[in-house]
Amino acid sequence: EDYDKLSGLIDQVPDNNSLLENIASKCASVGMCHEASRALVKSNKVKEAVDCCVALNQWDRAVEIAHEHNMSSVDELLAKYAAHLLDKGKVLDAIELYRKANHYIDAAKLMFKLAAESSEIPSHALRTKKLYVLGAMLVEQYNTHMMSDRSALDSLIHTNSVSIEDSRLIDNAWRGAEGYHFLLLAQRQLYEGFTDAALRTAHALVDYEDVIPVETIYAVIALTATIARSFGTCSNAFIKLENVENEEARAEYEQLAVEIFTRYPPRDSRAQKIECTNCEGSITDYGNTCSICDTKYPRCIVTGTPLTSVHFWQCDTCKHRAQETDIVSFSTCPLCHTLIA
């Protein structure tokens, strides 16, 4: 049979003609999904067209038809198609599917899962940061979509349709990207010889134990503190490292601690202080919280230092901040890499 000519008949046959179903059946029998579904849609059998696409494993076409005709089962189809892609290990395809369907939170969850898996490999820190940034960008797209779609916003307000898990994900969308940004920044500062700046930035990592492996955090702090000759800070980091689960690594850390602290007493040679602008207190020990009023200052994403000034630059996308004098040499945001206007 000449299936090319058969498919060409679809445009010639009038709508709802019984011949369209016959054409669809013959096309489906040889795997011509697009032609079969087109014939069924033209005969006003949208559900049958979707079922045909699913049967032929053409999920993207099924979702496309369901979206075009506002079928109520589109979310169910999306979930099934995404599961199908995930079973085949096509995580990025599943993310793209959800993104195109405006299911940004589902896409972000998958992206954050990829980032968490990447974080298990210490040498993949940059890749992990990029994945966390992409996940956060998807959440930002969700926020933009909700604000622009009045009906979706009204539904959210009146039905409280966002789960606690999703609400937490939205509120902490940039947390993973922040943690890995400061990890990479501390390492870069250390290699460039700015040991005090590196130690201050490394201290920021303590707030991200839920994102960055604990061993990685305190290994960076211990190394940086040793080079900065802040052996009190180094000792505190080794206390954490001597409690890691890996017995072999724990023994190595214990031996290294003995070698260091038999030569150097566990105390810091100098303490960094920044005046708190909210009271007469100060921010000490490389932290970003006032010791008196407990004011917590955001960190500059260029230097890692606390931002105590009321004048600062803020990224339009990720809303992170930097000293105005530090950001002038950048053409993109150091954290989310959005172009600076």
Side-chain angles (χ1 to χ4, degrees):
E1 296 183 47
D2 192 339
Y3 286 97
D4 289 334
K5 288 185 178 179
L6 186 64
S7 62
L9 288 174
I10 297 172
D11 295 324
Q12 299 175 27
V13 176
D15 292 357
N16 299 320
N17 191 295
S18 58
L19 183 58
L20 288 167
E21 290 186 58
N22 192 18
I23 294 173
S25 177
K26 290 185 181 298
C27 289
S29 67
V30 292
M32 296 172 65
C33 177
H34 189 83
E35 291 77 7
S37 59
R38 193 156 59 90
L40 287 168
V41 168
K42 193 172 183 182
S43 64
N44 202 28
K45 294 189 179 295
V46 178
K47 184 180 181 304
E48 287 79 355
V50 171
D51 291 341
C52 173
C53 294
V54 171
L56 292 173
N57 219 21
Q58 299 296 314
W59 289 90
D60 52 345
R61 176 64 177 158
V63 171
E64 181 186 340
I65 294 171
H67 260 298
E68 287 176 354
H69 295 83
N70 297 316
M71 291 181 65
S72 58
S73 60
V74 65
D75 287 347
E76 183 183 344
L77 270 174
L78 274 171
K80 287 182 178 179
Y81 185 23
H84 167 76
L85 291 171
L86 292 172
D87 286 342
K88 288 182 170 266
K90 297 180 178 180
V91 182
L92 293 178
D93 288 341
I95 291 171
E96 184 64 7
L97 168 72
Y98 277 133
R99 190 190 67 80
K100 286 182 176 179
N102 296 332
H103 284 234
Y104 298 111
I105 297 302
D106 291 317
K109 286 178 181 177
L110 291 176
M111 191 66 79
F112 287 144
K113 184 179 179 182
L114 280 180
E117 291 171 357
S118 177
S119 70
E120 296 174 3
I121 305 174
S123 60
H124 286 181
L126 180 58
R127 179 178 185 271
T128 302
K129 179 198 168 179
K130 289 178 179 179
L131 290 170
Y132 273 123
V133 168
L134 289 172
M137 287 291 197
L138 287 166
V139 175
E140 293 299 328
Q141 284 185 278
Y142 165 81
N143 292 332
T144 302
H145 174 70
M146 293 302 292
M147 293 304 295
S148 61
D149 188 335
R150 186 68 187 177
S151 61
L153 185 60
D154 289 342
S155 174
L156 178 65
I157 293 171
H158 295 299
T159 64
N160 194 24
S161 58
V162 178
S163 67
I164 294 175
E165 179 189 358
D166 289 354
S167 178
R168 190 179 296 115
L169 181 143
I170 293 167
D171 291 341
N172 296 291
W174 288 99
R175 185 167 176 74
E178 286 170 12
Y180 274 89
H181 172 77
F182 288 125
L183 173 62
L184 292 164
L185 176 60
Q187 292 175 332
R188 186 164 61 251
Q189 289 171 327
L190 182 61
Y191 283 114
E192 290 175 354
F194 303 110
T195 52
D196 284 342
L199 186 54
R200 184 179 293 280
T201 303
H203 263 278
L205 304 180
V206 174
D207 293 333
Y208 299 95
E209 290 187 13
D210 58 321
V211 177
I212 306 171
V214 172
E215 186 175 357
T216 299
I217 291 173
Y218 291 100
V220 171
I221 293 175
L223 174 63
T224 310
T226 301
I227 297 173
R229 306 189 72 78
S230 294
F231 294 107
T233 299
C234 181
S235 175
N236 292 333
F238 267 104
I239 291 172
K240 290 283 189 177
L241 291 171
E242 288 169 5
N243 286 290
V244 297
E245 294 181 3
N246 188 302
E247 291 185 11
E248 184 178 345
R250 188 164 63 239
E252 290 179 357
Y253 287 131
E254 289 172 353
Q255 179 60 36
L256 186 57
V258 170
E259 292 176 10
I260 293 173
F261 299 117
T262 51
R263 296 179 61 188
Y264 306 101
R267 58 174 178 267
D268 291 340
S269 59
R270 56 190 180 279
Q272 299 288 325
K273 290 186 178 181
I274 298 176
E275 185 178 338
C276 175
T277 57
N278 195 51
C279 69
E280 296 181 354
S282 60
I283 305 166
T284 61
D285 298 327
Y286 300 101
N288 64 331
T289 303
C290 177
S291 57
I292 294 179
C293 67
D294 288 331
T295 299
K296 188 170 184 177
Y297 292 94
R299 290 184 183 269
C300 172
I301 57 175
V302 176
T303 64
T305 57
L307 284 171
T308 56
S309 172
V310 294
H311 301 290
F312 52 79
W313 170 87
Q314 178 172 286
C315 176
D316 293 334
T317 300
C318 68
K319 305 299 185 288
H320 288 83
R321 303 173 182 179
Q323 291 278 11
E324 291 180 335
T325 53
D326 293 322
I327 200 67
V328 292
S329 61
F330 288 81
S331 58
T332 61
C333 171
L335 195 147
C336 72
H337 310 291
T338 301
L339 283 171
I340 296 174

